Amino acid sequence: MASNNNALVSIPEYFTDKSILITGATGFIGKVLVEKLLRSCSALKTIYLLVRPKAGQTAVNRLHTITKSRLFDRIREENPDVLDKLVTIEGDIMEPNLGISDEDVARLQEEVQIIYHSAATVRFDEKLGLSLKLNVGSVQKMLQLAQGMKKLEVFLHVSTAYANCDRKKIEEVVYPPPMDPYKLMNATEWMDEDMLATITPKIIGNRPNTYTFTKALGEYVLLQEGGGLPICIVRPSIVGAGWKEPVPGWIDNFNGPSGLFIATGMGLLRSMLADSDAIADISPVDYVVNTLIAASWHTGLHRPATTPIYNCVTSSTNPSKWEVIDNIPHYYTKTPLEVAFRRPNAAFTQNPIVHKYWNIIGSKIPAYFMDLALQLRGQKPRMVKMVDRIYKTVETLKYFTMHHWEWSNHNLEAVQALMSEEDKKKFYLDVRPLHWESYIEAYCIGTKRFVLNEDINSLHVARRNIKILRNIRWTFNTVLLVLIWRFLIARSQIAQNLWYFVTNLFFKFLRYCRATSSTH
């Protein structure tokens, strides 16, 4: 039980003079976590960020690029000096000992009190061997590092609400693993990639992909090897754009629903497999980050006797169905994308045949015409590839859009009950006030502003483009209808008679309108 003194310690007070280590800080959740900690717990001592060099950029340069982004605008305006508390640790979770130098290891083990292990692969179609190394092997390496930390108060592991998606009801417990992770990791060491790819479907069983499978194994390994450490696990559901912070609709990537939203706005996605009555558990990234901070505060301050698991979901208190995104074409027509190729128009279906039909008729065939137009203009064709990639994403997501789950989140509610009123406002965990229609509209605008970097003040250009696309569509459909009709007329006397009847009626109507207007 918490002592009265502990109950009076606010979240910012708890983080005062604390040294923190974050993995995955260049990822979506990691970046927002860093920004929130610096802005709302600015009295902390240091945030160490484990970053690997990538694409010719050093770890320091990668961090510099992130802190110069719009996500950190508010910090640069209000308290730029706090950015000096960020320290880059060059490393790689794939490497032995995380690729960290002996000097940095000693420094971390001497100073760090709080760990956020967020680094992972979130690719659904990742090869099993690589997914195991990133989502399970990295847990082992982080635990080895943590075991030597003299002041460690919290080891927070970011998992996923879908780690146990083979169950309909998911409690806040670590379930038995679907397979012995140690035997599996040993086996993958000697198997070649082709052999492993062949048997992967058999290995992952009822789970839809290697991501959810390896995340479940990672939780089990964490408990097996983390004995004596102050561990807690947070399981976010589908992580979406910001609800309130850093600004409504903030998003900076194509992952998850964001890519499908953008594809809809561009007019490339015309059909999606989904049960519109199924629960869509989308968790805004600021709600997820607040959960991470509050969970670490509770673990570090109150030292629970057992490892607390937090299902970070919205459906338990404010459920929404997939039908909430039916209005996305409307939002993108109201606030259109400058890069739109067709007027937004997408529908949801549970019928795979209907979905395939619209994929071919509504997307694939027009993509061939668009590629032909690009080639005639001397440009490289890309539309067919883009459409194929979009529909591959739809296929990987259909498991989540066609099913729904029930999660308990009593632990998170208990943490919220212990928070002060001030902390509840600053680190809000109550999603009941979240209005889903407004949130999805802000999400769509966020993809335009922050992912595609389009100027919201240049809407007139995008709207003019949408009108042109609408006129092209009407013209094309009219010409197509006339051609089809003329083709039928040439082969049917009945069709000819009907054609002449309709055209005569139309011209009579025009003469009537002209005569009526001339009498006034």
Side-chain angles (χ1 to χ4, degrees), residues 101-150:
S101 69
D102 291 342
E103 182 184 352
D104 283 338
V105 168
R107 184 180 182 184
L108 294 174
Q109 291 186 331
E110 185 66 36
E111 296 185 19
V112 168
Q113 289 135 304
I114 301 167
I115 293 176
Y116 293 101
H117 179 44
S118 175
T121 176
V122 296
R123 285 184 57 180
F124 288 171
D125 58 351
E126 190 68 83
K127 292 176 181 177
L128 180 58
L130 184 56
S131 194
L132 282 168
K133 289 176 181 176
L134 290 167
N135 294 347
V136 184
S138 68
V139 173
Q140 292 178 300
K141 294 169 188 172
M142 286 299 298
L143 288 172
Q144 290 167 5
L145 177 66
Q147 294 287 1
M149 290 183 173
K150 301 172 183 177

Side-chain angles (χ1 to χ4, degrees), residues 238-249:
I238 300 168
V239 184
W243 170 22
K244 300 177 184 179
E245 293 181 339
V247 292

Side-chain angles (χ1 to χ4, degrees), residues 128 184 187 191 193-205:
L128 180 58
L184 179 59
M191 284 187 192
E193 283 192 7
D194 290 340
M195 181 188 297
L196 191 55
T198 302
I199 64 172
T200 292
K202 180 84 171 170
I203 291 173
I204 65 176

Side-chain angles (χ1 to χ4, degrees), residues 268-281:
L268 297 176
L269 179 62
R270 315 302 277 186
S271 168
M272 184 168 173
L273 281 168
D275 178 358
S276 56
D277 288 327
I279 300 296
D281 204 299

